[in-house]
Amino acid sequence: MALFGKKKKETKSERNQTALSQNETSYFGKNLTIKGSVSGNGNIIILGNLDGKFNLRGRVKIAQPAKIKGEVRADIISVNGTVQGSLVAKERLHLDQTARIEGQIATPKLSISEGASFDGEITMNDPSSRPAGAQAKDSATAPQNTTAPAKE
Amino acid sequence: MQKDKSADSTSLLSKNVRIEGEILGPENLHVEGHIKGAVVLSGDIFVGNTGIVEADIEAKNIIIQGEVTGNVKAHRQLEIHPTGKLVGDCTAASIDIKEGAVFEGRSNMIRSSAAAAPGSSPKDLHASQHQKKPPS
């Protein structure tokens, strides 16, 4: 609900939202090649090629035939296509079955479907949930390891 | 095949989105956002009311309702609507400028016998031949 702050229409009715998003959604067909940077507010569906950068407030859907070389930054990213470079999602990121990724991913929420391929590294920069659990486990396992060789 | 596809698929650049760079391909493009750079399409380009294009454009048909700054080349037709504004030179096989439109620049025509014929009419022939293929 409060994720988007301003947008009343989304909470009121989904129909309004789809009508709105149709107006606001850019669509780059599979025959289109873009070399350079794409920025602004709005949603994008890309089926074509991009050599460069996306920097958007909104959703980016990288559909199956799409090939991206470069950097994609957006609130929500979902990938079905091929990406070489980095993906940075502020809110969440989804790799679907046909996704092929080579490079870096940074997102607080990640989901990967079976069949997706991903070569690279992930950073999940969600500071609130991480440090307590991770450190506690480390300290719990460490002493056990040291006691084991002592018996010998 | 590609010729047929170019007519089918139309890409849309929506209002608050901006592209800086080159846009290429056999595709139609509807622009309501902002483009800076270069556009080379073998389909049509339609620059809507809110569209702003600061780029040289090459396309089959060019339809301008918004603002274009740059040289444009239409292999078939250039159309400037009453709300449209073109600052730059144009090259086209045919031009249609409506009352109220703004056009500052030079205009060159592509002679139909020389350049337009291989660009446009044979394509139509190919396209119609594709469609006429009898279902087996």
Side-chain angles (χ1 to χ4, degrees), chain A residues 23-41 44, chain B residues 5 9-14 16-27 41:
Chain A
N23 290 335
E24 301 282 313
T25 299
S26 297
Y27 171 86
F28 300 141
K30 64 177 168 189
N31 300 319
L32 203 69
T33 301
I34 299 170
K35 293 177 186 172
S37 71
V38 180
S39 56
N41 295 311
I44 284 189
Chain B
K5 277 178 194 166
S9 175
T10 299
S11 294
L12 168 69
L13 178 68
S14 61
N16 298 313
V17 180
R18 178 185 171 94
I19 298 181
E20 275 184 50
E22 266 178 87
I23 302 171
L24 315 161
E27 178 95 8
L41 300 170

Side-chain angles (χ1 to χ4, degrees), chain B residues 42-64:
Chain B
S42 53
D44 303 341
I45 181 167
F46 176 88
V47 181
N49 277 313
T50 58
I52 298 173
V53 179
E54 297 170 68
D56 292 349
I57 302 175
E58 190 177 333
K60 191 158 72 181
N61 294 298
I62 300 174
I63 300 154
I64 302 173

Side-chain angles (χ1 to χ4, degrees), chain A residues 5-23:
Chain A
K6 287 178 190 172
K7 296 183 185 172
K8 302 175 206 164
K9 286 160 194 164
E10 286 200 351
T11 56
K12 274 186 180 173
S13 87
E14 287 193 349
R15 282 183 192 175
N16 272 355
Q17 187 200 353
T18 52
L20 183 81
S21 63
Q22 271 173 2
N23 290 335

Side-chain angles (χ1 to χ4, degrees), chain B residues 70-110:
Chain B
N71 301 329
V72 305
K73 183 173 182 183
H75 293 289
R76 205 173 285 171
Q77 192 179 45
L78 168 70
E79 231 176 281
I80 310 177
H81 284 245
T83 51
K85 185 178 174 186
L86 171 60
V87 179
D89 298 347
C90 85
T91 307
S94 152
I95 48 175
D96 179 3
I97 301 180
K98 304 276 198 285
E99 190 177 332
V102 177
F103 172 37
E104 283 180 49
R106 276 184 295 182
S107 173
N108 299 303
M109 300 306 290
I110 303 171

